[in-house]
Amino acid sequence: MIKILYAGSPEAARITLEKLFDSQTTCGFEIVGVLSNPPSAKGRHKDLIPTPVAAFANEKGIPVFTPEHLDSAARDQIRPLEADLLVCFAYGHIFGPKFLELFPLGGINLHPSLLPKYRGCTPVPAAILNRDSQTAVTIQTLGLKMDEGDILAQTVVELKGTETGESLLNYSAEEGARLITGLLSETSKNGNLPAGKAQSGEASYTGIITKEDGKINWNESAAVTEAKIRAYYPDPGCWCIENGTTLRILEARLFTGNCEADFESAAFGTVLAFSKSDGILIKTGDGILAVRKLQRQGKNAMDYKSFMNGARNFIGTVLE
């Protein structure tokens, strides 16, 4: 039986951890500890809330470690676990050589992209933004350089063009857990990780996404905007300005029907019409976007029909 330390923080990483936790007895490994980001202050009273990964581990009685830095003090906390292998998904910190030396079998990392494409912290939104036809769920060895490790297992994912950042990341979490479980089972039997395959092809990199990245530019095409809304759902989300206040666009699709409104003379961002079957029609730099779910600042999210019931003067508004 091999002992693993699991490192992760967000909800998707919790999904993977839960799948691994349920499989550990039958697959020859034991989760002896969890490494996660420190609790964050949330809500009116700034209560300290653990990450989803830490919350799950606490519930299951798995020791949790939340150091600010992976320094000598953190290594002293982890060393007594005598973990054989580090398993990582969306932890949010870089592992240095001294930390990786704690694990005789090294470390593996779940990365949801067709490596070496989209190395870095936001591969899922990148694949959706670029309207790729394929992505992948990849398990790679952990090294000192970001996402450059050898590929141990990989599932190619065909994209339908309807995925959101949330749905694709959650799928990657579940499929990644399946791949990791297979690797851990094999490693438990053989005593070592299987041989990996070096990455080949041109590498590309992704960076941190901010709230400002979600600002809709109505000069861009409907296709670009629709992909952006899916890629950034639910976080950081896409938004625009309606009469000085924030309006979040949560769901939309391309409109391919006929619009009787004066399309040619309208400014980009103009709310052209309301279609009961398609949504709220908005002019873009190329084509019409049909918005199907939206949320005004301080209000609940609504489907387009409910929204229009309380927005009598919305048609003709120019969104910024």
Side-chain angles (χ1 to χ4, degrees):
M1 172 121 9
I2 60 174
K3 296 190 289 185
I4 70 169
L5 175 71
Y6 182 84
S9 296
E11 173 60 21
R14 183 206 63 79
I15 293 172
T16 301
L17 174 60
E18 181 176 359
K19 298 290 184 182
L20 294 179
F21 181 84
D22 291 341
S23 303
Q24 58 182 342
T25 302
T26 57
C27 292
F29 65 92
E30 178 188 4
I31 302 168
V32 296
V34 157
L35 187 64
S36 196
N37 283 334
S40 55
K42 295 181 180 179
R44 291 180 58 188
H45 303 292
K46 300 299 181 182
D47 296 326
L48 290 178
I49 307 298
T51 68
V53 163
F56 178 84
N58 286 329
E59 177 187 326
K60 299 300 181 181
I62 305 171
V64 176
F65 305 89
T66 58
E68 291 279 355
H69 306 285
L70 296 179
D71 52 16
S72 60
R75 296 195 297 274
D76 289 342
Q77 287 183 309
I78 299 301
R79 189 175 288 106
L81 297 175
E82 297 183 338
D84 300 299
L85 180 70
L86 174 63
V87 176
C88 178
F89 178 31
Y91 172 47
H93 294 270
I94 300 296
F95 300 106
K98 292 182 179 179
F99 191 86
L100 290 176
E101 286 173 359
L102 295 175
F103 309 96
L105 296 178
I108 61 175
N109 178 54
L110 193 172
H111 190 78
S113 87
L114 195 57
L115 285 170
K117 195 173 186 180
Y118 304 142
R119 292 172 177 168
C121 58
T122 54
V124 167
I128 297 174
L129 282 172
N130 291 326
R131 291 173 279 166
D132 292 347
S133 61
Q134 287 184 332
T135 187
V137 180
T138 303
I139 311 300
Q140 60 175 161
T141 57
L142 268 172
L144 299 181
K145 294 184 178 180
M146 184 173 61
D147 299 328
E148 292 188 13
D150 291 347
I151 295 173
L152 299 172
Q154 188 175 75
T155 298
V156 175
V157 181
E158 302 294 332
L159 297 178
K160 300 176 182 178
T162 58
E163 297 82 3
T164 67
E166 180 179 58
S167 69
L168 184 52
L169 187 59
N170 288 347
Y171 172 82
S172 299
E174 294 192 7
E175 176 61 17
R178 188 187 69 81
L179 295 176
I180 291 171
T181 299
L183 284 170
L184 293 178
S185 180
E186 185 178 346
T187 301
S188 179
K189 294 175 183 177
N190 300 331
N192 289 292
L193 286 171
K197 179 182 178 182
Q199 297 180 33
S200 61
E202 184 177 354
S204 60
Y205 294 85
T206 64
I208 294 172
I209 297 171
T210 69
K211 179 182 177 181
E212 287 304 311
D213 291 321
K215 175 71 166 65
I216 294 174
N217 178 0
W218 295 108
N219 292 338
E220 293 181 325
S221 71
V224 167
T225 304
E226 186 271 342
K228 189 174 184 179
I229 291 166
R230 290 189 291 110
Y232 292 162
Y233 180 85
D235 185 52
C238 279
W239 56 279
C240 58
I241 300 298
E242 175 206 359
N243 297 324
T245 61
T246 300
L247 178 68
R248 287 169 55 86
I249 308 296
L250 306 176
E251 183 183 333
R253 66 188 187 191
L254 302 182
F255 179 71
T256 57
N258 295 318
C259 180
E260 297 180 358
D262 186 2
F263 175 81
E264 294 300 330
S265 63
F268 300 142
T270 299
V271 181
L272 298 169
F274 168 62
S275 166
K276 289 184 179 180
S277 58
D278 292 287
I280 300 168
L281 308 184
I282 302 175
K283 181 178 178 179
T284 72
D286 182 10
I288 295 175
L289 188 73
V291 173
R292 299 180 61 81
K293 190 175 182 181
L294 58 175
Q295 182 179 18
R296 277 182 168 145
Q297 186 172 342
K299 304 293 184 180
N300 293 328
M302 294 184 179
D303 65 80
Y304 65 98
K305 293 179 181 178
S306 300
F307 181 90
M308 289 303 296
N309 285 336
R312 297 179 181 177
N313 299 320
F314 195 54
I315 304 300
T317 300
V318 179
L319 303 174
E320 300 174 16

